[in-house]
Amino acid sequence: MSRNNLPAEWGPEEHPPMEMLRQYQAGALPPDLRHQVERHLLSCELCSDMVEGMAIARPARVRLAVRETHGRLKHLLAQKKRKRKVFQWPIWQTAAVLLVLAFAIAEVIYHHYFAQPSGHFTQNTQPAANSSQLTGVVTDAAGQKLEGATVQVEESSSRVTTGPGGQFTLDLPAEGATLVITSPGFQPKKITVTPGNKSVNIILDKKE
């Protein structure tokens, strides 16, 4: 083919115009120009890549790829929405759970702090059934009142501590009891009391 048959802007040693490559790729070139372009593509990697890219990026293929991508995205979004609905609790269920927890905590606090009997030392504040009450004073040999002395029913947990005047009040079993009296620096002492005893005076001897 002579140079006169080629477009004015394309010489034998030059790259073919972009429009000519598009016509070649679409099959719209005359046979002589098509052969000329083919010979050029055999020796020009750049133009060959451009023609291959045009074939890949055909409008119909691009539109099809866009539709396929759009469909896949919609499918993934739908899956995510379904998963979110499965694990999402309604607001009323969350509120109900929180209300039950708050009620349980309030019950524990009430029974632990407010429902217990007042005071911790109640064993001697109320007379036991079938028992009598004994009052007394603990002193030393000189008649000095002993504060802090312990008066306990033998073999029992019932016991009291004397006050500032050495006085005490103790519940006795109906059949009477043996009392054990102790105080730091003094010898322990035991006395037996009967139900008829209402008050006693107890004298402790100092340890030698």
Side-chain angles (χ1 to χ4, degrees):
M1 180 179 296
S2 65
R3 180 179 176 82
N4 294 333
N5 292 329
L6 299 177
E9 65 274 15
W10 184 44
E13 303 301 328
E14 299 174 352
H15 296 291
M18 183 65 67
E19 183 60 31
M20 183 177 291
L21 292 177
R22 289 196 185 96
Q23 292 179 9
Y24 170 79
Q25 193 275 329
L29 284 179
D32 53 349
L33 285 179
R34 186 173 66 253
H35 294 321
Q36 183 72 17
V37 171
E38 287 174 351
R39 284 196 299 271
H40 177 78
L41 293 177
L42 292 175
S43 60
C44 182
E45 185 176 353
L46 176 62
C47 292
S48 178
D49 290 342
M50 291 179 64
V51 172
E52 184 177 356
M54 291 177 185
I56 293 174
R58 288 178 181 176
R61 288 190 177 184
V62 172
R63 287 193 296 270
L64 178 60
V66 169
R67 284 197 299 270
E68 290 179 352
T69 303
H70 184 66
R72 291 174 183 172
L73 288 174
K74 288 179 65 176
H75 181 67
L76 288 175
L77 290 174
Q79 284 184 334
K80 289 184 178 180
K81 287 182 180 179
R82 285 197 295 270
K83 290 181 179 179
R84 190 179 300 116
K85 288 181 180 178
V86 169
F87 294 102
Q88 186 176 9
W89 274 24
I91 296 177
W92 69 269
Q93 288 185 355
T94 304
V97 171
L98 293 176
L99 183 61
V100 171
L101 288 175
F103 180 77
I105 294 173
E107 281 285 313
V108 172
I109 293 175
Y110 172 78
H111 286 291
H112 187 72
Y113 293 102
F114 301 103
Q116 293 182 349
S118 60
H120 297 283
F121 304 96
T122 60
Q123 58 182 7
N124 293 318
T125 58
Q126 295 293 335
N130 299 323
S131 66
S132 61
Q133 204 169 57
L134 176 71
T135 60
V137 177
V138 180
T139 64
D140 60 11
Q144 183 70 33
K145 306 293 194 312
L146 297 180
E147 179 183 359
T150 299
V151 182
Q152 180 174 0
V153 177
E154 190 176 33
E155 298 181 356
S156 170
S157 61
S158 178
R159 65 180 178 179
V160 293
T161 302
T162 57
Q167 299 175 345
F168 68 90
T169 301
L170 182 66
D171 292 330
L172 293 179
E175 66 276 9
T178 298
L179 302 183
V180 180
I181 303 93
T182 58
S183 181
F186 292 86
Q187 296 180 2
K189 188 172 187 177
K190 289 185 179 182
I191 64 171
T192 300
V193 292
T194 63
N197 293 124
K198 300 298 181 182
S199 64
V200 292
N201 292 322
I202 303 170
I203 299 174
L204 297 182
D205 297 323
K206 288 187 177 182
K207 291 181 179 179
E208 296 180 358

